[in-house]
Amino acid sequence: SYAGFNSHAIGMILSVSTLLLLLGAVGAACAGNRFGRYNSLLIVIALNALSILLVSTIAVHWVYLAANLLQSVTNLSAVIYQLGLAACLDRGGRVVAVSTALVTLGNGIGPGLAASLSGVFGAPFIGVLVLAINCVALALYCMVKLRGAGDAQSQSLAASS
């Protein structure tokens, strides 16, 4: 049992949460149109990392439930935005072509690796590790965004001269 839930309840929460991945896909399209792709990606990654940190460190009934639901909604959204960014940056399409295999590999290896690390270092370690990795990803996306803004400004200046 964890956070006041027995094993069956946790299984049900995870099953329902998995269905909520679909909301993330629909939400990604709506948010991307409203807030822009980069801003939405940054927000989704930050919320996803925060939800994983909460699930792994706080054993409070309602926090566990809410964080699981938030993680599910933001998980697929993040993947969709990342694939979109890869498509923009890789005009040849090589990254996008292998991305499905990489996502599948991550989904296969990730849970087992997390369970092994959690067994050795404890669940909070997983939350902190995911948060750290996501901070690195956020920094990289910000650099890509700044580079893209600089490229766009250079092209605009070249076109006006």
Side-chain angles (χ1 to χ4, degrees):
S1 118
Y2 184 78
F5 293 105
N6 63 25
S7 297
H8 177 72
I10 290 173
M12 292 302 292
I13 290 168
L14 295 176
S15 294
V16 170
S17 295
T18 300
L19 294 173
L20 292 176
L21 288 170
L22 297 173
L23 289 177
V26 173
C30 296
N33 288 336
R34 181 166 182 173
F35 303 111
R37 194 177 333 169
Y38 283 107
N39 292 335
S40 297
L41 174 63
L42 298 177
I43 291 167
V44 164
I45 287 177
L47 288 175
N48 189 267
L50 177 64
S51 67
I52 292 171
L53 181 65
L54 291 174
V55 163
S56 64
T57 59
I58 298 179
V60 175
H61 194 76
W62 68 271
V63 173
Y64 180 81
L65 180 63
N68 262 295
L69 297 176
L70 178 63
Q71 193 280 329
S72 292
V73 171
T74 58
N75 184 26
L76 190 57
S77 300
V79 171
I80 289 169
Y81 286 127
Q82 290 165 352
L83 291 176
L85 178 61
C88 287
L89 296 175
D90 179 26
R91 299 291 180 188
R94 291 173 298 189
V95 173
V96 175
V98 299
S99 62
T100 302
L102 294 175
V103 168
T104 303
L105 184 64
N107 286 337
I109 293 173
L113 181 59
S116 297
L117 291 173
S118 179
V120 174
F121 299 107
F125 173 80
I126 300 302
V128 172
L129 180 63
V130 167
L131 185 63
I133 291 169
N134 279 284
C135 286
V136 170
L138 286 170
L140 292 171
Y141 288 130
C142 287
M143 288 189 307
V144 167
K145 183 178 180 180
L146 291 173
R147 190 188 94 193
D151 290 348
Q153 188 176 27
S154 297
Q155 289 174 357
S156 140
L157 289 172
S160 65
S161 17

